[in-house]
Amino acid sequence: MRARGGSRRGRGSGRGVGGPIRRAASVAAVLAAAVAAVLVPLPAQATGGPGGTGGTNGALVHTDAGWIRGQATAEGRQFLGVPYAEQPVGRLRWKEPRPAKAWHGVRRATEFGNRCVQTSSWDPGYEKPSHTEDCLDLNVYTPGGRSAQRPVMVWLHGGGLTAGAGEDVVPDTFARRTGTVVVTVNYRLGAMGFLATGGLDGEASDGVSGNYGLLDQQAALRWVRANIARFGGDARRVTVAGESAGGRSVCTQLASPTARGLYRAGIVESGAYGDCAARERRQAVTDGAAFAKKAGCPDPKTALACLRARPAKEILAAQAGFDWAPVVGGAFLPVQPEEAYENGSAARVPVLNGANSDEGRLFAFGQFDGQGEPLTAERYPAALTEAYGPELGRRVLRRYPLAAYSSPTHAYAAALGDRMFACSALRMNTALAGRGPVYAYEFADRTSPPFASLRDLDTDFDFGATHVNEVQYLFKHFGLVTPLNAEQRALAGQMVQYWGSFVRGGAPRADGAPTAADQRTRPGRVLSLRTASAGGTAISATVHAEHRCGLWDAVPAG
């Protein structure tokens, strides 16, 4: 289990913030085998053109790089493992993404592509690390029927920018129920996606390295703009969405001038942590030099060539302990996202932004109970001092007294989650409201079942509405159907309606429930997503106070 973020700790600590090892052969051999495996002759009877209507069940589509054949399912059509960029292997390691090379014949698009380089985790299917760099693929899900001009949602996975893959969610049912086309994306992770060095700065088009993973996301959005009409999608109505590190990616793309025109709306789920702050260039380059030394490439004059010659397995082994995140200062991200929101330079598009009511419980579990050492009442004050320092720790202790919580771990979790997620999201709403519609939500189903990575753990820990838990209400998480009860299924249906109406271009709405409040006209009003027995979904004016944001807004983001 990983909090979508790094080493094995609670899933929120970095993956909400895995993959089988492919054959160990040379790059050339792997590429040759891959081409042989996925290319088959173009059938003479194929007549598919724009919209992808040729072939069996409309599953044959001509992209700008060549023909692909997907498959029909009970929910519609799906096209898996479609390359959107030239694979970043060999000399293209730590290069900005380039358009995918054309191929001849028909490429089978019926299996997920490789996962990008990452460690193993407890998430289903991630029991072994992945050392594959040829991973810049995406997956397209469309409803049945021949309708064209459907709105599009591009989903960016979580994983702390060090883990995960587009396949982590299967949104086929969401696509059918909402009448949308959904695209899920792989992008480079960890050191492969975010290494910054002086040598790489010299190769970067804007003089600032370290943004390869998010540039991959922009390349995928450009692929969508060029190709999605052939799948029945409308390139003018693209919503970029994501959870945790995927949500953080969205809030970064909102501030990136080079992403302008690639989407018309954004959805940020639990992604505003740390106020979406990027690394400063000087620190990123300093860390890059330290990483190179750790990886066995200490000489600055030869470090880049040395690193490019290192096997992916060795790069992965050296990346632990470093912060892998976007870098501010170049054309991709001229200023910090928070500054872009406040000075009006961020994209002026509608945004749906929110967090979960118990985000911190996953992280606190990973830090204490998950390690077999539940936090005790005696240890609680010291744990707060370690986390926040003596002065702030005393203030936190007063605001989060043990008597108000079922356990010391839950008390610690409340402070952690409020600071990292709830209050950061509310601040982001305020900052964004000056440049377009902003709709705030909070997922508050405290009866929600733990998401798939946690369900097999031998624990009775109450995770509540923790980090990642809302994802399973929208999609098949890790391809699995979550065991929801009747009330939870009803809430899941509402959430799909809210998200779907927003993707289609309107305010988030659901049958028999209130429309989400626009923060421009109803600031601080949050759509609280709850089951009927907990009062039902409603507009709340107390979220800021419930999460003690008066305290956290006065201290640096965590």
Side-chain angles (χ1 to χ4, degrees):
M1 176 190 67
R2 190 187 289 117
R4 292 268 184 222
S7 60
R8 292 171 85 168
R9 47 193 177 182
R11 176 182 178 105
S13 62
R15 182 170 171 122
V17 151
I21 301 176
R22 308 291 174 176
R23 71 186 68 181
S26 69
V27 170
V30 171
L31 289 177
V35 170
V38 300
L39 296 183
V40 296
L42 177 65
Q45 71 272 21
T47 59
T53 57
T56 304
N57 295 316
L60 184 65
V61 174
H62 189 262
T63 72
D64 56 2
W67 291 91
I68 60 172
R69 186 187 298 281
Q71 59 189 359
T73 72
E75 301 288 2
R77 297 180 299 156
Q78 61 184 28
F79 304 83
L80 309 179
V82 181
Y84 67 83
E86 191 172 351
Q87 298 302 338
V89 299
R91 63 183 178 83
L92 296 184
R93 180 188 283 182
W94 296 308
K95 293 284 191 179
E96 295 168 14
R98 306 177 182 186
K101 288 185 176 180
W103 56 80
H104 298 290
V106 178
R107 186 181 186 101
R108 283 198 293 269
T110 57
E111 295 182 359
F112 293 117
N114 295 333
R115 296 163 177 164
C116 294
V117 176
Q118 59 191 280
T119 63
S120 61
S121 79
W122 295 353
D123 290 331
Y126 285 84
E127 293 79 13
K128 295 180 180 180
S130 175
H131 301 134
T132 49
E133 296 180 67
D134 54 329
C135 61
L136 298 189
D137 300 328
L138 52 75
N139 313 296
V140 183
Y141 300 84
T142 74
R146 299 290 179 83
S147 298
Q149 304 297 302
R150 297 183 186 273
V152 180
M153 184 173 75
V154 176
W155 179 262
L156 306 176
H157 67 80
L161 302 178
T162 63
E167 67 186 270
D168 290 353
V169 303
V170 176
D172 53 355
T173 302
F174 179 95
R176 175 181 59 79
R177 290 181 177 176
T178 59
T180 61
V181 176
V182 183
V183 180
T184 67
V185 179
N186 290 356
Y187 54 91
R188 281 174 282 182
L189 303 165
M192 293 300 188
F194 298 95
L195 177 65
T197 70
L200 288 172
D201 280 354
E203 295 181 358
S205 60
D206 63 356
V208 176
S209 58
N211 290 312
Y212 309 103
L214 270 69
L215 290 170
D216 292 343
Q217 296 171 5
Q218 291 187 4
L221 287 166
R222 286 192 292 272
W223 184 96
V224 168
R225 183 175 61 185
N227 291 281
I228 207 64
R230 308 174 193 213
F231 297 84
D234 186 349
R236 299 166 301 177
R237 291 194 292 163
V238 174
T239 297
V240 59
E243 182 269 339
S244 195
R248 179 182 182 176
S249 296
V250 174
C251 72
T252 304
Q253 298 294 359
L254 290 171
S256 174
T258 56
R260 294 298 151 71
L262 297 177
Y263 56 87
R264 60 149 295 277
I267 298 175
V268 180
E269 299 180 28
S270 305
Y273 56 91
D275 292 333
C276 295
R279 295 178 291 166
E280 295 293 336
R281 178 184 180 187
R282 178 177 297 181
Q283 185 61 54
V285 170
T286 297
D287 289 348
F291 167 80
K293 184 177 181 179
K294 183 179 178 182
C297 303
D299 186 349
K301 295 180 181 179
T302 60
L304 185 51
C306 175
L307 288 170
R308 282 196 167 123
R310 284 282 187 269
K313 184 176 182 179
E314 295 182 13
I315 298 296
L316 182 61
Q319 77 176 29
F322 293 94
D323 179 22
W324 303 110
V327 181
V328 68
F332 166 77
L333 190 65
V335 298
Q336 290 286 0
E338 185 179 26
E339 182 179 346
Y341 305 154
E342 293 176 349
N343 69 19
S345 63
R348 295 181 176 274
V349 300
V351 174
L352 174 61
N353 175 45
N356 299 350
S357 60
D358 304 311
E359 295 270 8
R361 291 192 186 183
L362 177 63
F363 299 82
F365 172 83
Q367 185 174 348
F368 300 111
D369 300 54
Q371 302 296 326
E373 298 179 357
L375 186 59
T376 64
E378 294 76 17
R379 175 88 176 104
Y380 181 60
L384 294 180
T385 298
E386 291 170 7
Y388 304 112
E391 181 180 351
L392 181 57
R394 285 191 293 270
R395 295 166 60 194
V396 174
L397 182 60
R398 289 194 297 270
R399 299 300 302 276
Y400 296 84
L402 283 177
Y405 299 92
S406 60
S407 73
T409 302
H410 278 178
Y412 184 93
L416 187 157
D418 290 354
R419 184 185 190 189
M420 284 184 64
F421 294 99
C423 301
S424 294
L426 293 173
R427 286 195 301 272
M428 182 176 170
N429 292 336
T430 301
L432 287 173
R435 21 81 29 238
V438 182
Y439 304 98
Y441 79 87
E442 179 174 75
F443 176 74
D445 179 13
R446 289 192 158 122
T447 70
S448 61
F451 63 91
S453 305
L454 304 177
R455 288 202 289 270
D456 291 334
L457 296 181
D458 183 18
T459 180
D460 58 359
F461 187 86
D462 180 4
F463 288 98
T466 197
H467 193 60
V468 186
N469 257 22
E470 90 287 359
V471 175
Q472 60 192 340
Y473 282 56
L474 295 167
F475 317 114
K476 299 183 186 78
H477 197 202
F478 298 111
L480 304 173
V481 176
T482 300
L484 302 178
N485 63 31
E487 282 196 345
Q488 291 162 347
R489 288 195 300 273
L491 176 59
Q494 277 188 348
M495 290 173 61
V496 168
Q497 288 187 26
Y498 278 122
W499 266 243
S501 60
F502 181 76
V503 173
R504 289 193 298 271
R509 293 183 173 85
D511 296 339
T515 300
D518 189 337
Q519 300 300 291
R520 297 175 300 175
T521 56
R522 302 178 68 191
R525 296 318 193 252
V526 175
L527 184 70
S528 181
L529 299 163
R530 299 177 301 204
T531 58
S533 61
T537 294
I539 301 296
S540 172
T542 62
V543 172
H544 188 276
E546 290 167 1
H547 293 286
R548 297 153 176 86
C549 294
L551 168 65
W552 298 117
D553 289 348
V555 300

